Amino acid sequence: GESVGLHLPTLSVQEGDNSIINCAYSNSASDYFIWYKQESGKGPQFIIDIRSNMDKRQGQRVTVLLNKTVKHLSLQIAATQPGDSAVYFCAEKDSSYKLIFGSGTRLLVRP
Amino acid sequence: GAVVSQHPSRVICKSGTSVKIECRSLDFQATTMFWYRQFPKQSLMLMATSNEGSKATYEQGVEKDKFLINHASLTLSTLTVTSAHPEDSSFYICSARGTDSYGYTFGSGTRLTVV
């Protein structure tokens, strides 16, 4: 794959605060991006997606921002809850429809 | 919504034996299946891509003779880990894409432990 995760950075936030998780993607030709949440021992769970012709998309309590100039993606979670604690991955779709995952960020929500 | 069923969820096997993991798309036709491997505290690494009725395409560094992938129908893909060794112990996850170019559905993963 193009992105290899050798460590997992951790973001610790207070319950109720907003969380921002960042991701740098590698392929400027990627045209579709997805954020996934993964809990221990489970498969990835879809959170929100965005196509390359957009720079912002909002869902329920989540917002994804895309900056193609610097190949950067961010996930904002409003009013973070204990149930949001998990590992979050960004993924990019390349022209061959492969979905390549970023290195991931562990989100810890303090009560 | 689209559902992919992956079995088994956990398997323990002896070194040198083979293990088969199945992924089924329950309510859609999976034209493409992706197989990932995930080591602890790491990201998902794409192992191979398979299209129904075609040979799988393996990522660089993945041994095709060790990880046999079969995608014989539009609803079933299997990954067989042959002659498993302890270093093959990992979390294996499948993902299916249907006719919707932007729809990827993941299985729940298989924890393989080789002893």
Side-chain angles (χ1 to χ4, degrees):
Chain A
E2 296 165 358
S3 300
V4 177
L6 297 178
H7 69 281
L8 217 52
T10 299
L11 173 66
S12 180
V13 300
Q14 191 73 37
E15 180 180 355
D17 286 352
N18 297 333
S19 302
I20 299 176
I21 300 172
N22 297 303
C23 174
Y25 64 92
S26 54
N27 188 349
S28 57
S30 293
D31 63 355
Y32 178 58
F33 305 86
I34 311 172
W35 278 101
Y36 288 97
K37 173 184 180 183
Q38 187 181 32
E39 295 174 313
S40 181
K42 298 183 179 179
Q45 174 189 347
F46 174 93
I47 300 174
I48 192 168
D49 60 357
I50 188 167
R51 300 190 186 188
S52 58
N53 60 354
M54 303 172 69
D55 53 22
K56 180 179 180 179
R57 188 153 190 246
Q58 287 184 293
Q60 194 173 23
R61 274 201 315 121
V62 293
T63 301
V64 55
L65 298 178
L66 174 63
N67 184 331
K68 294 183 290 295
T69 303
V70 295
K71 292 190 287 186
H72 183 269
L73 202 64
S74 70
L75 174 70
Q76 300 177 4
I77 304 174
T80 313
Q81 302 169 359
D84 295 327
S85 292
V87 178
Y88 289 81
F89 294 99
C90 67
E92 57 184 300
K93 179 187 81 68
D94 70 8
S95 57
S96 65
Y97 293 99
K98 292 180 188 178
L99 205 56
I100 306 299
F101 280 73
S103 55
T105 297
R106 180 177 302 280
L107 176 65
L108 293 177
V109 182
R110 303 188 304 272
Chain B
V3 176
V4 169
S5 175
Q6 183 172 347
H7 291 281
S9 58
R10 290 178 177 271
V11 58
I12 300 173
C13 71
K14 291 186 178 180
S15 188
T17 62
S18 296
V19 173
K20 180 184 285 188
I21 301 169
E22 288 190 354
C23 267
R24 293 180 183 273
S25 55
L26 299 185
D27 48 5
F28 68 102
Q29 293 184 328
T31 54
T32 308
M33 279 280 197
F34 305 91
W35 287 94
Y36 293 84
R37 178 168 52 181
Q38 185 179 31
F39 292 109
K41 298 185 179 180
Q42 293 190 22
S43 185
L44 283 74
M45 295 301 297
L46 182 64
M47 299 174 66
T49 303
S50 72
N51 292 299
E52 185 264 338
S54 303
K55 286 186 179 180
T57 303
Y58 291 81
E59 294 298 302
Q60 190 173 4
V62 178
E63 300 174 61
K64 62 180 181 181
D65 294 330
K66 180 168 186 62
F67 298 100
L68 301 180
I69 292 171
N70 184 286
H71 191 171
S73 78
L74 284 171
T75 58
L76 175 64
S77 178
T78 60
L79 167 67
T80 302
V81 182
T82 63
S83 186
H85 288 99
E87 57 263 33
D88 298 324
S89 298
S90 189
F91 193 53
Y92 292 86
I93 308 168
C94 66
S95 173
R97 185 178 74 88
T99 54
D100 175 4
S101 297
Y102 299 96
Y104 296 82
T105 305
F106 282 81
S108 53
T110 297
R111 172 74 59 196
L112 170 63
T113 303
V114 185
V115 297

